[in-house]
Amino acid sequence: MTINPRFEGVSPIGKLPDDRVFLEDVWQGLSATPKALPAKYFYDAAGSQLFEGITGLAEYYPTRTELRILDEHGAAIAATLPRGAALVEFGAGSTVKVRRLLRHLHDLAAYIPVDVSGEFLNGQAASLRRDRPDLVVEPVVADFTQPFALPESIGNAPRAGFFPGSTIGNFRPDEATRLLDTFGTILGKEAWLIVGVDLVKETKVLEAAYDDASGVTAAFNLNLLTRINRELAGSFERDSFRHRAFFNAAASRIEMHLVSQAKQEIEVGGRRFGFSAGETIHTENSYKYSIASFQGLAGSAGWAAEDVWTDPDGLFSVHALRRK
């Protein structure tokens, strides 16, 4: 849920206005078989607020577990990075996690947070500058899934990347491989990368994290329909869909769906789409890895596994990778 953290998605593509891109993505997704919608559209104001609630739930272990790893092993993680490095955080969002590393990094050339949301990014950068006046903070507004230029001001400083939150799990393995290779292209030779990765575990633990007893994740998923109604002239009735989350062991991923409770037709932006009873809209995947399987994926993208840290229960992992 990264931007999460968990559900952080990619930026709008092309040159169309955001609402037009949103509309065409919804049309395409509801015309597909099976139906699907991009998880990046979870994050309107209400969705972001609901996600913040999710991160504090007893069932939702990833956020607090990763923070625990960063608190307990932050010094060791920071020690793997080259001295005088420029630290690039992909999909930066909040600075809550990176601050765990920055407290152990006093000789950085610069911290470079990267995100598509310029207003939020610059606000977070300003806050960090106030708290760390010794630190050069150079925000970059960019889609981190595509190559972008780093600030010229960092010169030839060694490069390191930071990609927390298990956001890597929101990409299919082939997409994750390409993304890690893109990070390598951006950071360059001999770069380092710190990545948060959620681990395979008991199915009941995984499923509870995405289908909590209090229904916050269900509200988060269903809010996507509310957003479509509001922004794209949709006619979804929320009560005619229900939230479903389950672990697909064959694909090693959690899937989230919205399940139609009856045969029905809905309209979005002047187009109509039919649903049969029990038909679903696939809204999100979150892939889970073993330590070995993630290190193998990273290796195929040109990264060598150097170290890994986990919590005592083996729920989550933080990996240090070095560009081959």
Side-chain angles (χ1 to χ4, degrees):
M1 297 187 179
T2 243
I3 133 180
N4 141 109
R6 185 169 88 189
F7 301 112
E8 281 185 302
V10 299
S11 65
I13 56 177
K15 297 182 179 180
L16 296 172
D18 287 356
D19 57 347
R20 184 66 186 183
V21 174
F22 185 16
L23 179 61
E24 294 196 350
D25 282 350
V26 171
W27 280 348
Q28 181 178 1
L30 296 182
S31 301
T33 304
K35 293 179 172 66
L37 292 172
K40 65 186 178 182
Y41 293 120
F42 280 130
Y43 287 94
D44 63 352
S48 297
Q49 185 175 15
L50 284 165
F51 177 71
E52 287 303 311
I54 289 169
T55 62
L57 293 170
E59 298 97 328
Y60 191 67
Y61 62 85
T63 300
R64 66 173 178 271
T65 307
E66 186 176 32
L67 288 172
R68 178 181 177 181
I69 293 170
L70 293 171
D71 282 336
E72 294 182 353
H73 302 285
I77 296 169
T80 65
L81 304 181
R83 295 180 65 85
L87 180 65
V88 181
E89 183 174 5
F90 298 100
S94 167
T95 60
V96 169
K97 291 178 182 176
V98 76
R99 286 172 185 264
R100 262 72 175 182
L101 281 186
L102 292 177
R103 68 180 58 158
H104 303 289
L105 292 167
H106 302 289
D107 57 355
L108 284 179
Y111 166 60
I112 304 164
V114 181
D115 200 272
V116 295
S117 178
E119 183 177 357
F120 183 76
L121 180 70
N122 288 322
Q124 290 290 302
S127 176
L128 186 58
R129 288 189 188 103
R130 287 193 296 270
D131 295 339
R132 283 285 304 270
D134 61 306
L135 180 65
V136 175
V137 181
E138 296 269 14
V140 173
V141 179
D143 174 358
F144 68 78
T145 69
Q146 304 296 325
F148 60 86
L150 295 174
E152 292 184 3
S153 60
I154 65 175
N156 295 321
R159 271 57 162 171
F162 186 49
F163 194 46
S166 197
T167 305
I168 195 71
N170 296 133
F171 297 85
R172 295 193 315 266
D174 61 315
E175 295 172 334
T177 300
R178 289 195 296 271
L179 181 63
L180 291 175
D181 184 59
T182 297
F183 289 171
T185 299
I186 294 167
L187 296 171
K189 293 181 179 180
E190 300 181 3
W192 287 75
L193 181 64
I194 305 299
V195 188
V197 180
D198 199 8
L199 298 175
V200 176
K201 56 190 67 68
E202 286 184 272
T203 298
K204 65 180 182 181
V205 175
L206 283 168
E207 292 185 345
Y210 294 81
D211 192 9
D212 59 278
S214 55
V216 182
T217 309
F220 176 77
N221 200 8
L222 288 161
N223 181 65
L224 180 56
L225 304 184
T226 300
R227 182 180 182 187
I228 291 171
N229 287 349
R230 183 181 66 251
E231 298 183 23
L232 304 179
S235 65
F236 283 103
E237 293 184 10
R238 279 179 53 139
D239 290 346
S240 65
F241 288 82
R242 67 174 176 85
H243 167 72
R244 184 186 179 209
F246 63 91
F247 183 58
N248 180 336
S252 195
R253 72 188 186 199
I254 283 282
E255 295 184 12
M256 287 202 341
H257 294 255
L258 293 168
V259 185
S260 176
Q261 299 300 283
K263 183 178 180 180
Q264 58 182 307
E265 274 197 350
I266 63 93
E267 184 173 313
V268 178
R271 290 191 186 180
R272 300 191 68 81
F273 302 91
F275 287 82
S276 58
E279 186 176 6
T280 76
I281 309 171
H282 190 167
T283 54
E284 192 239 356
N285 290 319
S286 185
Y287 285 85
K288 311 302 175 184
Y289 293 91
S290 67
I291 289 173
S293 66
F294 178 73
Q295 290 178 339
L297 182 145
S300 68
W303 294 91
E306 293 292 328
D307 213 336
V308 60
W309 298 267
T310 65
D311 59 285
D313 297 321
L315 299 175
F316 201 90
S317 59
V318 175
H319 296 252
L321 308 175
R322 179 179 50 81
R323 192 67 172 164
K324 293 180 183 178

